[in-house]
């Protein structure tokens, strides 16, 4: 399950980058998605994703229905947004514990 969580987090980063790039070419201008629905992103079964965002940034917390949330999670943030938990460096996926 930890491998799935890491893979989903990487895929989410890629989806947000694509959304931002596509939005930057539109009349509304560059922005990040604030929901999985905006990204048309469907996580794998048993992977749970919380996401928040605004025009200038986004953050996500990725957990598993099969692992205790306090023991294992991945997080990432980009831009001007409040990160979840122990998201470390901007744009870099952080997973706890770091196995």
């Amino acid at each position: 399950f930890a491998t799935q969580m890491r893979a989903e987090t990487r895929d989410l980063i890629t989806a947000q980058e694509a959304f931002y790039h596509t939005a930057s070419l539109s009349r509304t201008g560059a922005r990040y998605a604030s929901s999985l629905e905006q990204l048309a992103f469907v996580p794998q079964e048993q992977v749970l994703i919380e996401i928040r965002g605004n025009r200038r940034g986004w953050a996500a917390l990725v957990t598993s229905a099969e692992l205790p949330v306090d023991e294992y999670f991945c997080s990432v943030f980009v831009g001007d947004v409040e990160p979840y938990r122990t998201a470390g460096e901007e744009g870099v996926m952080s997973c706890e514990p770091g196995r």
Side-chain angles (χ1 to χ4, degrees):
F1 296 107
T3 302
Q4 285 179 327
M5 290 167 49
R6 288 178 184 270
E8 288 295 286
T9 305
R10 282 190 296 273
D11 291 347
L12 183 60
I13 292 168
T14 300
Q16 277 284 19
E17 289 172 353
F19 183 92
Y20 187 88
H21 176 73
T22 301
S24 71
L25 301 174
S26 72
R27 286 185 297 126
T28 57
R31 67 187 182 287
Y32 292 101
S34 59
S35 70
L36 296 178
E37 291 79 20
Q38 277 186 305
L39 291 171
F41 189 91
V42 179
Q44 295 178 36
E45 193 173 326
Q46 303 301 321
V47 174
L48 311 171
I49 299 176
E50 275 184 62
I51 186 172
R52 62 175 164 239
N54 57 51
R55 292 188 76 77
R56 300 181 322 245
W58 68 278
L61 177 67
V62 181
T63 59
S64 170
E66 299 297 321
L67 296 173
V69 115
D70 291 336
E71 290 182 26
Y72 200 93
F73 60 89
C74 294
S75 58
V76 63
F77 79 100
V78 172
D80 186 18
V81 67
E82 179 76 24
Y84 286 93
R85 299 201 182 185
T86 62
E89 185 179 342
E90 179 182 358
V92 178
M93 176 177 54
S94 173
C95 294
E96 296 293 330
R99 291 182 238 164

